[in-house]
Amino acid sequence: MEELNSIMHHQLYLEERNKLKITGVTDIGIFNDESISVSTVQGDIIVRGENLHITKIDVDSGELLAEGNFYDVSYLEQQNKNESFFAKLFR
């Protein structure tokens, strides 16, 4: 995983608050029409909004595209690398 992190770059683009592109994605957590949880090479992210849906996920390039009405993008603190994604999410 360390080798993958040094190769992938992380960027987040939000266009007009309704189109989202995240690069450097390493894992997809829980997603529904109100939130999307992803792990990236720079940490875990939770995106919140309404009518959210993932339009494209490319695991080879680490790219995620989503659409909807976005109102919050939050990076979670990285306190314990051994702690699972879900444990951090439901703290």
Side-chain angles (χ1 to χ4, degrees), residues 68-87:
N69 300 314
F70 299 99
Y71 59 76
D72 183 52
V73 177
S74 300
Y75 284 85
L76 300 176
E77 285 187 39
Q78 294 184 356
Q79 293 181 357
N80 184 354
K81 290 192 176 208
N82 295 330
E83 190 175 19
S84 77
F85 180 79
F86 295 109

Side-chain angles (χ1 to χ4, degrees), residues 29-65:
I30 299 170
F31 60 92
N32 57 42
D33 64 339
E34 295 179 345
S35 66
I36 301 171
S37 304
V38 298
S39 294
T40 73
V41 294
Q42 293 291 312
D44 297 334
I45 300 173
I46 297 179
V47 180
R48 292 184 178 89
E50 297 173 339
N51 302 318
L52 305 183
H53 58 278
I54 295 174
T55 57
K56 177 183 174 186
I57 180 71
D58 185 341
V59 292
D60 293 329
S61 68
E63 182 178 277
L64 176 133
L65 302 176

